[in-house]
Amino acid sequence: MAAARCLLLRASPPAPNPPEIAKAFSPIIASSSSSSAAASLPLPAAVPPSSGRRIPPLRCSSSSSSQGSASPDIAVLLEVEGVLADVYRFGNRQAFNVAFQNLGLDCANWTEPIYADLVRKASGDEERMLLLFFNRIGWPTSLPTNEKESFIKGVLREKLKALEVFSASDSLPLRPGVEKFIDDALNEGVPVAILTTYGRNGEKTSRSIIEKLGQERTAKIHIIGKEEVEKSLYGQLVLGEGVASSLDEQLVREAQKAASAEKQRIAEEVASILKLSVDINAASESSEKIIVTLRAGSEYVGRDVQNCILVAGSQSGVLAAERIGMPCIVVRSSLTARAEFHSAKAVMDGFGGTDLTISKLLGKKWS
């Protein structure tokens, strides 16, 4: 994009598999003429993982399955943005400035006070932040009024490219104490999963941040991305990705037959059992995406949803966890420093010391 001048204008988120999934589909299987045979079918494991990935076998839990197990009955699911690294403080502002330079917008430069003011006024919505900023200082003189929306999207695309590069560099640090928090969890036998699917800056940025944990540490952690979600049992049942290749054919036929006959009734029944909202049409795509990720995460760590603790840095993650009954603890970032999280079990400022530790989780001392 050619260099542009700005003219001041008047502004006009190996243990037993969670039992509720298996229970949810028992009414579907029972509805067929071959219900007794179908009901006895065990739930198979998720699609065999691709090379280098580990997916634990999925088994129906029983009251005697935990006999003799010394492992804690909880697991930790971690968001990336705002939790592993404060991307909003150390990455976003710098990436915007690189984007402005690359687009020839020499009049645009976000200092920390300007960025903080825009974040506050736009509640972190980056499109609104750009609108507020250019309404304040003036739009590029060569930009037609009807192309402001496409201009904003172009800036955001360029900013994302810059952030992907920035997140892979040493300029974006991990949050203090997060490495020790993960190590303590692993040493206590607490499974750890990191969720990369719903961060606002994309999975590539999230994975670059995860790499900062080191190969030895990440080899012991479950990384839950788009591919892992699609291969999870819950992801297959909800998203319909690759069901025929991974589930028993008879179970698939019975589920499809029942779904085609009474799709809404069955959906509501399954949603009720899984403690999801029955209003399928009203649920936002983003919210459902997070819920599928959280449930997939619980499968990979081998814990029931209510025994998984989400460490969140986003409001959307907190709300999704509440919908499925997953306990949630918030670790504040520069983006959420003044936000309120009413449904969270606790709100912490960081890791270690008086903030979030594994010992507090094991003792369920949320605050």
Side-chain angles (χ1 to χ4, degrees):
M1 182 175 183
R5 293 181 297 105
C6 297
L7 179 64
L8 183 62
L9 302 176
R10 294 185 181 274
S12 355
N17 184 52
E20 64 266 25
I21 297 178
K23 294 178 182 177
F25 280 85
S26 58
I28 299 176
I29 298 173
S31 66
S32 69
S33 59
S34 58
S35 60
S36 60
S40 64
L41 288 172
L43 283 176
V47 176
S50 57
S51 177
R53 300 188 183 276
R54 308 185 311 280
I55 299 183
L58 301 174
R59 297 185 296 272
C60 298
S61 62
S62 65
S63 58
S64 61
S65 62
S66 60
Q67 184 175 358
S69 174
S71 299
D73 62 350
I74 67 169
V76 174
L77 308 186
L78 296 165
E79 291 185 354
V80 177
E81 297 182 22
V83 176
L84 292 189
D86 192 344
V87 178
Y88 314 109
R89 178 182 179 187
F90 294 105
N92 266 16
R93 182 180 67 84
Q94 294 87 335
F96 269 114
N97 286 335
V98 171
F100 296 148
Q101 293 173 10
N102 291 345
L103 294 171
L105 300 170
D106 54 359
C107 60
N109 181 66
W110 287 0
T111 62
E112 286 195 23
I114 290 175
Y115 179 74
D117 182 60
L118 291 171
V119 167
R120 181 178 59 82
K121 290 181 177 177
S123 300
D125 185 306
E126 294 181 348
E127 287 193 24
R128 287 183 59 202
M129 288 167 64
L130 288 168
L131 283 170
L132 287 171
F133 178 71
F134 285 106
N135 280 339
R136 181 188 302 171
I137 72 160
W139 294 80
T141 55
S142 60
L143 181 70
T145 303
N146 61 354
E147 293 185 11
K148 288 182 179 180
E149 183 177 351
S150 61
F151 168 77
I152 292 293
K153 293 187 182 301
V155 173
L156 290 176
R157 283 193 300 269
E158 197 67 30
K159 172 257 177 182
L160 182 57
K161 292 178 185 177
L163 184 60
E164 288 174 351
V165 174
F166 190 84
S167 63
S169 72
D170 294 335
S171 300
L172 180 59
L174 294 172
R175 291 192 66 152
V178 69
E179 291 168 290
K180 185 179 186 304
F181 176 82
I182 292 173
D183 290 341
D184 288 347
L186 296 174
N187 290 336
E188 291 287 346
V190 177
V192 177
I194 299 178
L195 315 176
T196 69
T197 57
Y198 60 87
R200 64 170 63 191
N201 290 299
E203 188 164 344
K204 185 175 180 180
T205 296
S206 292
R207 288 188 179 269
S208 293
I209 294 171
I210 291 171
E211 288 178 2
K212 297 175 186 292
L213 292 170
Q215 186 174 0
E216 182 179 352
R217 189 177 284 112
T218 55
K220 304 173 186 177
I221 298 171
H222 301 276
I223 311 299
I224 313 300
K226 182 175 182 291
E227 181 181 351
E228 289 75 21
V229 169
E230 291 177 352
K231 287 181 177 180
S232 70
L233 176 58
Y234 187 83
Q236 291 174 63
L237 294 174
V238 172
L239 303 175
E241 298 286 347
V243 175
S245 64
S246 61
L247 294 177
D248 185 276
E249 291 184 3
Q250 184 174 355
L251 175 60
V252 174
R253 285 198 301 270
E254 297 302 333
Q256 290 177 340
K257 183 193 301 182
S260 62
E262 298 180 87
K263 184 176 180 180
Q264 184 62 29
R265 182 186 67 80
I266 293 172
E268 291 179 356
E269 183 176 355
V270 172
S272 175
I273 295 173
L274 296 178
K275 299 179 181 179
L276 298 176
S277 168
V278 298
D279 190 355
I280 295 174
N281 295 326
S284 71
E285 181 180 348
S286 175
S287 176
E288 292 303 324
K289 180 179 180 180
I290 298 173
I291 287 173
V292 174
T293 301
L294 295 180
R295 288 193 172 275
S298 74
E299 285 185 31
Y300 279 80
V301 297
R303 298 290 188 271
D304 291 348
V305 166
Q306 63 268 25
N307 289 334
C308 293
I309 300 171
L310 175 66
V311 181
S314 67
Q315 189 72 258
S316 55
V318 175
L319 295 175
E322 181 185 21
R323 284 184 59 190
I324 63 173
M326 179 180 288
C328 179
I329 294 177
V330 171
V331 175
R332 289 193 185 278
S333 67
S334 56
L335 182 67
T336 58
R338 299 179 181 178
E340 295 184 358
F341 299 91
H342 299 293
S343 61
K345 295 291 184 181
V347 179
M348 305 285 190
D349 291 324
F351 295 95
T354 59
D355 288 311
L356 184 58
T357 63
I358 285 299
S359 61
K360 287 183 179 179
L361 294 188
L362 292 174
K364 296 189 177 179
K365 298 176 181 177
W366 308 115
S367 58

